[in-house]
Amino acid sequence: MYYKTKIKDIVRIPPYKFGEPLNEVAIQTLNETYEGRLDKKLGLLICVNAIEEIGEGKLIMGDGASYHSVVFEAIFFKPEQHEIFNGEVIDVVDYGAFVRIGPMDGLIHVSQVTDDYISYNAKNGSLTAKESNKSLNEGDLVRARAVSVSIKDESTNNIENNRNSKIPLTMRQNNLGRFEWIEEAKQNSKKG
C-alpha cells in the first residue's frame, strides 16, 4: 500500500546551491538523504514530492550552509498483511520464487506456489507442479497475497539493503497464482 505522509525535519542547503529555487533544492536534498530508507512504522520512502513549509535559514559558524526547518510530504510503500499484489517473478531458486511487488521483493516459498508437489528444475530455472504440470518461471506475472510482513529499519538509503525485510507470499488460494492459471480457472468454472 502506498501512503502520503507529512514529516518535519531540518534540511541543509549547501552554499553552492544558494542561487537556485529553495523549494526545488530542498526537495532534491531531502530525496538524496531519505529516498530508499526503511522505517518500521512508515515503510519504504519512495520520494519527497512537496514542501509544505520551509523556515528561514540559519547559518552555523564554519559550515557555510544554511539550515531550514521544513515540513514536507513524502510517499511511502508499506505492504500490509493479507494485501494482494500483482508482481513479476524476478528469480526462481530451489526453495521458491522472488516476486517484485512495487519497490520491494517478496518470496513465494515452494510450499506456497500450489497445492501440488513442486520440484525445481535447475536447467530451466523453473518450479514445476507434479500433477498439474503448472510451471513458474522468471518473468511470469503473478498475483499473490502477503502472508505476513516484517520490516527492519535500515541505516543506509540503499534499496538493495531492503532484502532484510521479509514479505512471504502465497498463491495457494482462489484467484491467486500465475495470471494464466487464474484465467484458466475462470474458464473452467464457466464450463462446469
Side-chain angles (χ1 to χ4, degrees), residues 4-192:
K4 193 184 314 184
T5 304
K6 289 182 188 175
I7 298 174
K8 185 175 183 179
D9 201 357
I10 305 283
V11 65
R12 178 185 184 273
I13 307 297
Y16 63 88
K17 296 214 176 192
F18 283 172
E20 298 176 32
L22 183 58
N23 276 11
E24 290 176 23
V25 172
I27 288 174
Q28 179 185 8
T29 303
L30 289 166
N31 274 316
E32 289 169 0
T33 304
Y34 292 114
E35 188 176 283
R37 290 260 176 118
L38 265 174
D39 180 89
K40 192 169 186 155
K41 292 178 184 171
L42 298 172
L44 178 69
L45 192 139
I46 304 299
C47 73
V48 173
N49 63 333
I51 301 288
E52 295 214 349
E53 297 174 29
I54 191 157
E56 193 172 305
K58 296 181 181 174
L59 299 174
I60 295 178
M61 183 90 79
D63 185 351
S66 64
Y67 290 81
H68 301 261
S69 63
V70 65
V71 175
F72 61 92
E73 190 176 88
I75 305 295
F76 285 88
F77 175 77
K78 184 177 182 191
E80 301 289 339
Q81 186 172 355
H82 305 300
E83 186 174 355
I84 305 292
F85 295 100
N86 291 338
E88 179 181 359
V89 175
I90 58 169
D91 193 16
V92 178
V93 293
D94 60 343
Y95 56 87
F98 289 95
V99 178
R100 176 78 24 96
I101 52 173
M104 298 177 90
D105 298 341
L107 172 66
I108 303 170
H109 188 268
V110 289
S111 65
Q112 297 300 311
V113 174
T114 69
D115 292 332
D116 204 346
Y117 176 79
I118 299 289
S119 61
Y120 175 65
N121 183 333
K123 187 176 181 182
N124 297 7
S126 66
L127 297 173
T128 306
K130 185 176 182 177
E131 291 178 25
S132 65
N133 212 27
K134 294 178 178 177
S135 68
L136 193 60
N137 303 293
E138 188 175 322
D140 286 344
L141 299 177
V142 298
R143 180 172 295 142
R145 182 178 61 81
V147 176
S148 66
V149 177
S150 173
I151 292 182
K152 307 263 195 263
D153 285 320
E154 291 293 330
S155 59
T156 64
N157 65 343
N158 184 347
I159 289 179
E160 294 303 313
N161 287 339
N162 298 336
R163 302 254 188 252
N164 290 337
S165 295
K166 306 291 186 230
I167 307 172
L169 304 170
T170 186
M171 297 192 315
R172 288 182 61 177
Q173 294 170 330
N174 289 335
N175 295 315
L176 298 180
R178 213 170 107 183
F179 286 172
E180 291 84 355
W181 304 347
I182 296 168
E183 192 56 40
E184 184 181 306
K186 285 180 186 177
Q187 296 302 325
N188 290 340
S189 70
K190 287 179 183 178
K191 291 177 186 175

